[in-house]
């Protein structure tokens, strides 16, 4: 798979929809635009190709600096244009573009390695990967290292920071080994608030002399991701919270409204015909379901320990292809 490397952004890019990016670019593309300083800001867009905020934010950023000298070099990776053309996260049979940033022999692995190699040859100031959620989440930043520059960078986007080390095949993890990196989760795709807040965050970092903590915030709440909740492919799902449902799993209707709220031991998130249809795995894919859920006498899915969820989704495709959501715990607050 060929990686395009361009040093000018075509004007047509500024006014098209994400679905049209493939016709314009022909595939994954790096833009490297020179600025006043050579310590570049790196941006990833459309790694999940149906998460469109990154693309619309990019258009607004380019328009903001039209006919102006950039404060520093800007390196932009426009990722899965193939899937963007179809409005999908990734195409059937295609690897997820945010699960390819480790060693491997598939075409997508080799593409990611080409991007990493190119970035390593540059002087990268910071890396920002822009994503959306499929459920209702507050805007938040994710980091892969508990170190001051990472915490400081995250403090400018949302009031919560999530620290995770799994999955380890994401872009931010690969880049964290040679620069300060962050992933931002900007709510549901394409909403004006997500585009605006992503733009202001990126522009703030674009103009920083150094990465220092947000002077307007004493600290963010820092959460640690413990595990993923997954749903079996064969399970039928609804959100009727009905013990007599024909579905194998009948979740509460407001499941995705519980993100970043405490879920208490003994609470119920729905009903299951068989608890084996919903399971929890840790960072090593060990099944730890019994730590978090048990089945009640009437088929209730009962929470077995206190936790904080993120990315709870009502998108049935996503919950089976990736996960229903993540379980987290609040870490000792960091002063930074």
């Amino acid at each position: 798979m060929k990686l395009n490397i361009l040093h000018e952004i075509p004007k047509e890019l500024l006014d098209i929809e994400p679905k049209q990016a493939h016709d314009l670019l022909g595939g994954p593309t790096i833009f490297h635009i020179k600025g006043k300083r050579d310590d570049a800001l790196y941006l990833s867009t459309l790694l999940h190709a149906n998460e469109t905020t990154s693309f619309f934010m990019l258009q607004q950023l380019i328009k903001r600096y039209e006919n102006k000298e950039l404060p520093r070099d800007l390196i932009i990776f426009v990722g899965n244009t193939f899937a963007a053309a179809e409005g999908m996260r990734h195409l059937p049979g295609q690897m997820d573009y945010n699960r390819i940033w480790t060693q491997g022999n598939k075409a997508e692995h080799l593409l990611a390695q080409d991007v990493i190699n190119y970035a390593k040859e540059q002087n990268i100031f910071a890396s920002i990967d822009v994503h959306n959620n499929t459920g209702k989440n507050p805007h938040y930043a994710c980091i892969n290292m508990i170190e001051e520059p990472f915490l400081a960078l995250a403090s400018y986007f949302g009031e919560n920071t999530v620290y995770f080390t799994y999955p380890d095949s994401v872009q931010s993890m690969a880049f964290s080994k040679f620069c300060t990196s962050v992933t931002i989760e900007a709510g549901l795709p394409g909403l004006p608030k997500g585009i605006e807040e992503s733009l202001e965050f990126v522009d703030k970092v674009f103009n920083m002399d150094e990465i220092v903590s947000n002077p307007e915030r004493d600290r963010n709440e820092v959460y640690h991701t413990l595990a993923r909740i997954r749903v079996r492919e064969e399970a039928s799902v609804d959100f009727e919270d009905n013990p007599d449902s024909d579905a194998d799993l009948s979740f509460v209707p407001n499941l995705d409204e519980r993100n970043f709220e405490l879920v208490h031991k003994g609470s119920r998130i729905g009903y299951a015909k068989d608890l084996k249809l919903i399971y929890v795995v840790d960072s090593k894919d060990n099944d730890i379901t019994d730590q978090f859920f048990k089945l009640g006498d009437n088929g209730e899915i009962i929470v077995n320990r206190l936790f904080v969820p993120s990315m709870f989704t009502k998108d049935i495709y996503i919950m089976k292809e990736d996960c229903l959501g993540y379980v987290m715990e609040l870490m000792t607050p960091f002063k930074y």
Side-chain angles (χ1 to χ4, degrees):
M1 188 185 307
K2 184 178 182 295
L3 174 65
N4 302 319
I5 300 177
L6 305 175
H7 295 281
E8 289 186 2
I9 295 174
K11 289 190 178 296
E12 296 90 335
L13 187 73
L14 303 185
D15 298 304
I16 62 174
E17 293 294 316
K19 286 187 174 184
Q20 298 170 288
H22 187 72
D23 286 341
L24 180 65
L25 302 177
T29 299
I30 282 179
F31 294 104
H32 188 164
I33 312 303
K34 302 300 290 183
K36 188 181 299 184
R37 297 168 48 154
D38 71 356
D39 53 343
L41 175 63
Y42 171 95
L43 297 177
S44 280
T45 67
L46 294 182
L47 293 191
H48 290 153
N50 61 345
E51 298 177 10
T52 55
T53 291
S54 65
F55 190 81
F56 293 128
M57 178 279 299
L58 174 62
Q59 290 177 321
Q60 293 299 316
L61 182 71
I62 295 167
K63 289 176 181 177
R64 181 172 288 190
Y65 285 94
E66 210 166 9
N67 302 318
K68 296 179 183 177
E69 184 179 21
L70 302 183
R72 55 168 35 92
D73 282 15
L74 180 62
I75 300 174
I76 305 156
F77 178 54
V78 182
N80 196 345
T81 63
F82 306 102
E86 304 298 328
M88 301 178 68
R89 179 183 174 103
H90 60 80
L91 296 178
Q94 184 186 49
M95 291 192 71
D96 183 325
Y97 268 47
N98 205 29
R99 301 292 187 272
I100 61 175
W101 301 86
T102 49
Q103 293 293 327
N105 295 320
K106 292 190 175 180
E108 292 88 353
H109 287 125
L110 301 178
L111 170 71
Q113 196 58 55
D114 286 343
V115 176
I116 292 169
N117 290 341
Y118 183 87
K120 282 182 173 180
E121 293 173 356
Q122 317 306 318
N123 178 17
I124 305 294
F125 174 71
S127 165
I128 301 172
D129 185 18
V130 184
H131 281 266
N132 292 115
N133 301 137
T134 54
K136 298 175 182 178
N137 289 265
H139 294 174
Y140 63 98
C142 299
I143 57 175
N144 308 114
M145 291 192 178
I146 297 293
E147 294 180 3
E148 185 174 348
F150 292 80
L151 290 160
L153 184 59
S155 71
Y156 289 89
F157 192 77
E159 297 180 355
N160 301 301
T161 298
V162 174
Y163 164 66
F164 74 92
T165 56
Y166 178 82
D168 62 359
S169 51
V170 299
Q171 182 273 336
S172 61
M173 180 72 78
F175 274 58
S176 70
K177 295 171 183 175
F178 59 88
C179 70
T180 305
S181 65
V182 68
T183 299
I184 60 172
E185 298 285 353
L188 296 171
L191 296 182
K193 183 180 178 183
I195 297 168
E196 179 183 352
E197 292 191 5
S198 299
L199 174 63
E200 296 310 318
F201 171 72
V202 167
D203 199 24
K204 170 72 75 173
V205 179
F206 202 19
N207 285 277
M208 283 181 178
D209 291 327
E210 57 181 333
I211 299 173
V212 296
S213 60
N214 188 346
E216 298 178 2
R217 187 170 295 149
D218 289 336
R219 63 176 173 83
N220 279 20
E221 298 290 3
V222 181
Y223 296 89
H224 179 212
T225 298
L226 301 173
R228 289 193 296 168
I229 306 171
R230 308 206 64 188
V231 170
R232 302 285 180 190
E233 176 65 32
E234 66 270 20
S236 55
V237 177
D238 69 26
F239 297 91
E240 299 176 4
D241 193 26
N242 181 3
D244 299 317
S245 171
D246 291 334
D248 297 318
L249 299 170
S250 185
F251 294 113
V252 294
N254 65 341
L255 184 70
D256 62 344
E257 295 177 11
R258 299 188 178 188
N259 287 317
F260 285 88
E261 295 182 358
L262 283 172
V263 176
H264 294 275
K265 182 177 180 179
S267 60
R268 178 178 57 78
I269 65 166
Y271 295 90
K273 297 284 195 292
D274 187 338
L275 196 59
K276 291 180 181 178
L277 296 172
I278 178 172
Y279 62 107
V280 185
V281 292
D282 65 13
S283 62
K284 296 181 180 178
D285 273 336
N286 297 313
D287 190 317
I288 55 172
T289 307
D290 58 354
Q291 294 182 29
F292 289 92
F293 298 120
K294 64 181 179 181
L295 201 63
D297 293 338
N298 296 313
E300 304 97 332
I301 306 171
I302 298 173
V303 174
N304 230 6
R305 58 160 286 184
L306 183 77
F307 69 89
V308 180
S310 68
M311 293 193 187
F312 265 177
T313 180
K314 294 173 71 174
D315 186 316
I316 296 171
Y317 171 80
I318 292 296
M319 71 174 63
K320 293 182 178 183
E321 198 268 343
D322 189 27
C323 65
L324 171 66
Y326 292 86
V327 295
M328 308 184 298
E329 63 181 357
L330 184 63
M331 301 177 70
T332 303
F334 292 86
K335 181 72 177 178
Y336 56 93

